[in-house]
Amino acid sequence: MTTELLDDVVETVLADGQVRSSLRRIVGVIGQYALLCVLSVVVLAPLFMTLIQALSPPLAYIDAGKPLHPVEVAWKDRTWFTGGAWSVLLRTAVILAAFAWLQRVGSPHGSWLRHAREIATVRRLVAIVGGTVTLTVLLGPVFGSLHAADGRTAGLFFLAVAGVAVTQTIGFHEPGHRSVPVAILDALAVSVVAVAAAMVFVGATVWTQSWASSGLGEAMLRSLTMSVLITVAQVVTAILAAYAFVFLDFPFKRILFAAALATLLLPLEVTLVGNIALIRQLGWIDSMQGLVLPFAASAMGIFLIRQGFRGIPKDIQDAVRIDGHGHLTFLTRFAIPLNRPVIASFTVISALAAWNQYLWPRSIIETDASNTLQIALRSNISENIAQANVTVAAALVSAVPVAVMLVAFQRHIIRGLTAGAVK
Amino acid sequence: MTDLTVSASTQDAADVAPKRRRRRYRPGEVGLAALFLLPSALVFGIFFYLPFFKLVSWGRFESTRGGGYRDVGMAQYREVLFGEPFKDGLIHSITFVLYTVPAGLVLGILLAVAAHRQLKGIKVFQAIFSSTLASSVAVSSVMFLFILNPVVGLFKVDWINERGWSLFAAALPSIWQNLGLAFVIVLAGLQAVPEEVMEAARLDGYGSFRRLVRITLPLISPVLLFLTVVLVVFGFQAFAQIDIITGGGPAGSSETLVFKIFRENQNYGAGAVLSVGLFVVTFVVTALQFAILDRRVHYDN
């Protein structure tokens, strides 16, 4: 960020001959960045506070007078390569993906999927692989020193940062696009964040502790299963219904469409008592079908996908019919592929909503062993205040999958969320 | 002769055909439509309409001490809907909405206006502002439960256990969590405003604040209406925040309508009446929102 600010300032000064107006512009730019930084701090403040609480043992934290930094963090005696093959693989994959993403952001190209060949230059591959290797190797001594509390941590930390920064500079530097000093500053900023994040999230004991103590893994798997089933069901039923409403002719079309949309006026909160009674009657308490089936169709989905289908030109439809193809061909070869963006957006918001569900699982799950992730977080809250750090750590860990999704599918998520707002 | 009759009858058929064809459906197509609509129809019928109509009829029955139910006609509707529990729940729900919606709108506009500019690294700030999308209601509620905890938390005040403040404590995670959504929606609106319009305003000598109030906000008013509707719906449906942070307490001071419905979910009589009440409230609020705001909204057409 600072490098970009400098860049902007330098550009402004060079571009503008008149000192006074350029000075005013510099002040303006600095003011804008300052406002953005203040707002960022405000938005992230609760996250920082929770991070401090997660890392500090509660009693020690209270004794220290609740400072705005973690106290007496418990560090593991480990290297990057200890802790089981799966977890090593996972965290290495995460770091690898993070560096790959950063190099993509640093490149002038759009996405790895579409521009893999342009992005994957030798320099960037060296930065991605080299960055991962350097980080994994140099973090070992940092962990060792943190665990031993031998006072050498700061030095080793900066060594790791410097090592990673060198690799990233190689990737960021691009003649004509980014000069060496700017590349170095960008690489330094990236490395500090990468090393610090890896140190905190791999080195501290509280994360594995919260993972192990609260059945977070099982709950996450259950939530994942539920979300996938709900999303697939909603997308399939919505596509079929939307297709019928747009391309098929049948009696009572308007009434049926109105009846489908009217379910928007019957949110779960309204039908809750009746639905719980129904689930109880069916013996579906604590069951996956009880979690999924009530959400297997979505009026919002039918509406959005119908809008998309209506945009398909009549000519295409006629051409397909003249060629002798039936509705199934038209649906699978034309209607769905032509509306991939709408369907993708709906898929993403549907998955997000399913993952975040709270009231319904809370109502029909009665044993902790059947908890979804969101209600497992609630069951974790214990009366014992000395466990507070483990509880909040679990909450943070549980947000990781969505955070990853958010980065990976940012465009689709934002398009989905704003689907009703902007044409 | 025969020829004539034949031609006459075909003539007849040709006259009638256009009218009739409009009414006649191809059986194959109707069958396919039925097949395509069946899954959605089953779900909507079984899990939306059936429970709702059951609830409406259950409202006539009052639970007795023996665990049974007796038909009391409309008496229970009258008692519950015009009594203290519903009124309290409604007031708490509305208060919750008043805590979260204006804050969401103002902060969303503030963040979006701040981040809607051509600066280097602006993508980083946009990512930070939309980051609360990654948290669920349960996650943000647990976070604020401990941030606001009087023992381990960062503040000395105990809002969670104070009657006048408990609802506000439960609203805080919502306000925070809605930031990402509000930001993303308002930013999308701002990005859809044509650059020429802003340029024209700039040339007319409008300052940045006047430009915002006089031009930008009216232009994105459909987006703000959409955001308002979403936030109000979220506010009325809020449950996890209250369940996790206050548990409805202290002394029921943070029991919203939805929370009361959840608490009464074993009492099919009173629970049903509260549900019907919530349905009416949702209906009225939605209608009101569109009626009032729609007139002030600028739609380009």
Side-chain angles (χ1 to χ4, degrees):
Chain A
M1 279 171 256
T2 39
T3 64
E4 262 119 13
L5 174 62
L6 269 175
D7 251 17
D8 243 16
V9 171
V10 170
E11 267 175 25
T12 324
V13 172
L14 292 181
D16 230 322
Q18 291 170 309
V19 181
R20 195 187 292 164
S21 82
S22 71
L23 193 71
R24 193 191 282 167
R25 274 180 67 182
I26 293 171
V27 172
V29 168
I30 292 175
Q32 291 178 3
Y33 278 111
L35 176 67
L36 287 166
C37 289
V38 170
L39 290 174
S40 301
V41 170
V42 172
V43 171
L44 293 178
L47 204 60
F48 285 136
M49 294 184 203
T50 307
L51 203 55
I52 293 167
Q53 289 186 327
L55 289 172
S56 320
L59 301 178
Y61 185 64
I62 296 164
D63 280 347
K66 303 183 190 174
L68 280 175
H69 56 79
V71 292
E72 293 187 30
V73 185
W75 299 99
K76 275 187 216 159
D77 183 18
R78 73 178 329 164
T79 67
W80 187 269
F81 305 99
T82 45
W86 282 116
S87 88
V88 172
L89 269 179
L90 180 71
R91 71 176 88 108
T92 310
V94 169
I95 288 293
L96 204 60
F99 281 132
W101 180 69
L102 285 165
Q103 287 301 324
R104 197 274 288 161
V105 172
S107 81
H109 304 288
S111 92
W112 268 110
L113 289 178
R114 277 190 221 143
H115 306 281
R117 219 171 285 158
E118 290 96 322
I119 300 175
T121 58
V122 177
R123 285 164 167 276
R124 294 210 186 88
L125 290 181
V126 167
I128 294 166
V129 177
T132 308
V133 173
T134 318
L135 184 78
T136 52
V137 172
L138 290 183
L139 263 179
V142 178
F143 291 141
S145 137
L146 279 168
H147 185 72
D150 57 5
R152 298 187 301 133
T153 313
L156 290 166
F157 176 80
F158 286 118
L159 185 68
V161 169
V164 174
V166 168
T167 65
Q168 296 309 295
T169 308
I170 297 171
F172 282 141
H173 171 53
E174 197 169 316
H177 181 67
R178 197 183 282 105
S179 60
V180 178
V182 176
I184 290 178
L185 284 173
D186 280 352
L188 271 177
V190 162
S191 315
V192 170
V193 174
V195 175
M199 185 181 94
V200 167
F201 290 105
V202 177
T205 53
V206 70
W207 313 112
T208 36
Q209 212 180 322
S210 72
W211 183 266
S213 72
S214 48
L216 222 52
E218 290 161 43
M220 215 178 252
L221 196 65
R222 206 167 296 111
S223 270
L224 187 69
T225 315
M226 177 186 78
S227 311
V228 169
L229 289 176
I230 289 180
T231 308
V232 170
Q234 284 194 353
V235 171
V236 171
T237 56
I239 287 177
L240 291 179
Y243 188 87
F245 282 127
V246 177
F247 297 114
L248 298 177
D249 224 14
F250 55 92
F252 309 119
K253 198 187 225 177
R254 286 167 154 259
I255 296 174
L256 286 172
F257 185 63
L261 279 200
T263 58
L264 289 173
L265 284 171
L266 297 175
L268 177 73
E269 288 74 14
V270 168
T271 56
L272 183 75
V273 177
N275 265 323
I276 296 175
L278 185 64
I279 294 296
R280 224 175 264 290
Q281 223 175 343
L282 293 166
W284 285 358
I285 294 292
D286 284 338
S287 75
M288 186 53 80
Q289 63 267 37
L291 287 173
V292 172
L293 285 181
F295 299 95
S298 152
M300 184 56 80
I302 294 176
F303 182 75
L304 286 176
I305 295 174
R306 173 178 166 269
Q307 296 291 90
F309 281 173
R310 274 156 57 116
I312 298 178
K314 193 94 179 132
D315 304 355
I316 298 183
Q317 211 187 326
D318 292 341
V320 174
R321 192 159 298 153
I322 288 165
D323 282 353
H325 296 299
H327 283 289
L328 277 182
T329 316
F330 182 59
L331 173 65
T332 51
R333 296 252 195 92
F334 295 92
I336 293 176
L338 281 174
N339 283 286
R340 207 173 284 151
V342 178
I343 296 172
S345 299
F346 174 64
T347 307
V348 169
I349 48 172
S350 155
L352 210 56
W355 178 267
N356 288 342
Q357 271 202 48
Y358 185 87
L359 178 59
W360 183 240
R362 172 92 167 86
S363 304
I364 64 155
I365 299 294
E366 291 180 348
T367 48
D368 278 358
S370 311
N371 276 350
T372 63
L373 186 60
Q374 310 301 335
I375 50 170
L377 293 180
R378 181 188 170 275
S379 323
N380 276 344
I381 301 166
S382 76
E383 291 299 307
N384 186 0
I385 210 75
Q387 289 293 312
N389 58 338
V390 182
T391 310
V392 292
L396 290 180
V397 169
S398 79
V400 170
V402 185
V404 172
M405 278 239 318
L406 196 63
V407 172
F409 300 110
Q410 195 185 16
R411 239 163 11 103
H412 287 297
I413 291 182
I414 289 181
R415 197 189 294 144
L417 292 174
T418 55
V422 194
K423 277 180 212 160
Chain B
M1 264 311 263
T2 42
D3 269 349
L4 244 173
T5 21
V6 168
S7 71
S9 69
T10 38
Q11 189 64 40
D12 254 351
D15 273 342
V16 174
K19 275 182 201 159
R20 227 190 246 163
R21 202 181 294 146
R22 222 173 285 156
R23 297 259 168 111
R24 196 185 285 153
Y25 302 95
R26 293 195 207 94
E29 212 169 298
V30 175
L32 193 64
L35 194 69
F36 279 8
L37 289 175
L38 189 66
S40 301
L42 279 177
V43 174
F44 290 152
I46 298 174
F47 297 107
F48 286 75
Y49 286 111
L50 178 73
F52 179 67
F53 289 121
K54 265 193 192 165
L55 285 174
V56 174
S57 67
W58 284 352
R60 296 166 52 89
F61 297 89
E62 195 177 51
S63 65
T64 58
R65 285 213 190 109
Y69 290 91
R70 65 193 172 95
D71 191 344
V72 292
M74 295 310 280
Q76 183 168 239
Y77 272 106
R78 225 172 298 129
E79 258 166 53
V80 175
L81 292 184
F82 296 101
E84 286 299 308
F86 185 78
K87 202 183 83 192
D88 279 358
L90 188 59
I91 288 173
H92 293 153
S93 286
I94 291 173
T95 314
F96 192 90
V97 167
L98 290 179
Y99 282 146
T100 53
V101 177
L105 277 170
V106 170
L107 293 172
I109 292 171
L110 180 66
L111 292 177
V113 169
H116 178 56
R117 51 193 76 214
Q118 306 284 327
L119 285 177
K120 290 198 173 167
I122 196 71
K123 285 260 154 72
V124 177
F125 292 105
Q126 292 178 350
I128 291 174
F129 292 170
S130 56
S131 65
T132 70
L133 283 173
S135 78
S136 69
V137 193
V139 170
S140 60
S141 299
V142 170
M143 285 170 62
F144 276 87
L145 175 67
F146 287 97
I147 289 173
L148 296 174
N149 184 295
V151 184
V152 290
L154 285 109
F155 304 106
K156 294 219 166 64
V157 288
D158 186 5
W159 285 344
I160 295 174
N161 294 310
E162 218 167 285
R163 290 194 63 156
W165 286 97
S166 57
L167 208 52
F168 182 68
L172 277 175
S174 281
I175 294 173
W176 181 69
Q177 213 214 334
N178 287 341
L179 287 180
L181 184 70
F183 165 71
V184 165
I185 288 178
V186 181
L187 185 68
L190 291 178
Q191 284 168 345
V193 173
E195 190 52 43
E196 305 91 69
V197 177
M198 301 318 294
E199 199 50 50
R202 213 169 286 140
L203 291 178
D204 280 350
Y206 274 45
S208 53
F209 184 73
R210 258 190 26 178
R211 230 166 30 228
L212 176 70
V213 176
R214 292 275 180 82
I215 296 169
T216 314
L217 292 187
L219 273 178
I220 63 165
S221 51
V223 173
L224 298 181
L225 169 70
F226 173 79
L227 179 61
T228 311
V229 172
V230 170
L231 291 180
V232 169
V233 170
F234 280 8
F236 270 106
Q237 294 180 346
F239 173 73
Q241 301 90 320
I242 294 149
D243 187 37
I244 288 176
I245 292 185
T246 66
S253 60
S254 58
E255 282 191 353
T256 57
L257 267 183
V258 173
F259 191 87
K260 278 183 195 291
I261 289 173
F262 174 78
R263 220 193 39 183
E264 294 282 355
N265 73 56
Q266 300 289 342
N267 179 355
Y268 297 148
V273 176
L274 286 172
S275 304
V276 176
L278 178 66
F279 169 72
V280 175
V281 171
T282 321
F283 199 97
V284 170
V285 167
T286 316
L288 268 183
Q289 263 179 336
F290 280 96
I292 297 170
L293 287 170
D294 217 31
R295 253 182 285 159
R296 299 210 184 151
V297 168
H298 167 271
Y299 282 103
D300 58 335
N301 204 357

